[in-house]
Structures are given as C-alpha cells and as structure tokens.
Amino acid sequence: MSVSRAAVLNMTSMAGSITNTGFVFTEDLAVPSYKISKAALNMAMRVAAANAKEKGILVVMMCPGWVKTDMGGRDRGVLEPEESITAMINTLSTLDDTHHGVFMDREGIPYPF
C-alpha cells in the first residue's frame, strides 16, 4: 500500500451510533459512557473532516468490529485481532474522497451516525 495523501483514521465503535441507540446495542445501555464517548468522537471528527477537506486530508471513522481482546472480551468477541487489522488495512488502501467524513465498518461500509 502506498500512501499518496495525509489521512486521519479514528478507531470508533458501532456502539457510538446515535441512530441505533437502544435498537442494535441494547446491552450497552448499561455502560453509557462508552457509547457517549464514541458518539462524541464521531461528531468531533465529522466537524474536523469539514475543516480538513480543503487541505486534502482524508478523515474517516472506522469500527474494527467486535474483536477478541481484553476490552472486547476474548470469549465474547467474534473476530481475531489479525482478521480485524487485515480488513482495516485492506480498506484503507481503497478509500478516496467519497469516504471523507464517513463513519464505517472495517470493510468501508458506511454506518449511520
């Protein structure tokens, strides 16, 4: 992968989707601080994306998926770290201006804010 421009990649979570709050990640309502912080990150980066666009800096928010880590739960996660990382790296090489300011999964599929 060769990089031809500056980019900012933010690790976010699908749990930060305001649209899906209480519908998709209902168990996360018991730990609202995580959801709130990810929603705030997404908003902050959407604003930063608007300001960075004219400078040619790509800004995206990407969810790595539910990864088997200490935080994600080694027994509850569905992805091995290597699977998540490989998918994100592969996706990064395909991003262009149409992805600027987008909240997406590790495969580049847009997700609602």
Side-chain angles (χ1 to χ4, degrees), residues 95-113:
L95 299 180
D96 59 30
D97 287 338
T98 65
H99 300 99
H100 187 76
V102 174
F103 175 20
M104 65 183 71
D105 70 8
R106 69 192 168 282
E107 296 172 346
I109 299 169
Y111 202 74
F113 276 89

Side-chain angles (χ1 to χ4, degrees), residues 1 58 62 87-99 104 106-108:
M1 174 176 81
L58 178 67
M62 187 179 288
M88 288 188 292
I89 289 171
N90 290 337
T91 297
L92 285 173
S93 66
T94 68
L95 299 180
D96 59 30
D97 287 338
T98 65
H99 300 99
M104 65 183 71
R106 69 192 168 282
E107 296 172 346

Side-chain angles (χ1 to χ4, degrees), residues 4 8 12 22 26-27 30 45 55 71 86 89 92 94-95 113:
S4 60
V8 177
T12 189
T26 54
E27 70 275 1
M45 290 303 101
K55 295 177 178 90
M71 183 179 166
T86 298
I89 289 171
L92 285 173
T94 68
L95 299 180
F113 276 89

Side-chain angles (χ1 to χ4, degrees), residues 31-60:
V31 230
S33 58
Y34 182 74
K35 292 178 69 64
I36 292 165
S37 69
K38 290 304 183 179
L41 169 68
N42 293 341
M43 175 58 85
M45 290 303 101
R46 190 69 179 254
V47 170
N51 292 321
K53 188 169 189 169
E54 65 190 38
K55 295 177 178 90
I57 301 170
L58 178 67
V59 178
V60 296

Side-chain angles (χ1 to χ4, degrees), residues 16-86:
S17 169
I18 294 171
T19 301
N20 289 333
T21 297
F23 300 105
V24 176
F25 295 100
T26 54
E27 70 275 1
D28 287 343
L29 294 176
V31 230
S33 58
Y34 182 74
K35 292 178 69 64
I36 292 165
S37 69
K38 290 304 183 179
L41 169 68
N42 293 341
M43 175 58 85
M45 290 303 101
R46 190 69 179 254
V47 170
N51 292 321
K53 188 169 189 169
E54 65 190 38
K55 295 177 178 90
I57 301 170
L58 178 67
V59 178
V60 296
M61 291 72 70
M62 187 179 288
C63 176
W66 195 357
V67 184
K68 295 178 182 180
T69 63
D70 290 341
M71 183 179 166
R74 293 195 185 278
D75 56 338
R76 294 180 59 199
V78 296
L79 296 167
E80 294 295 332
E82 296 79 11
E83 292 175 276
S84 174
I85 292 165
T86 298

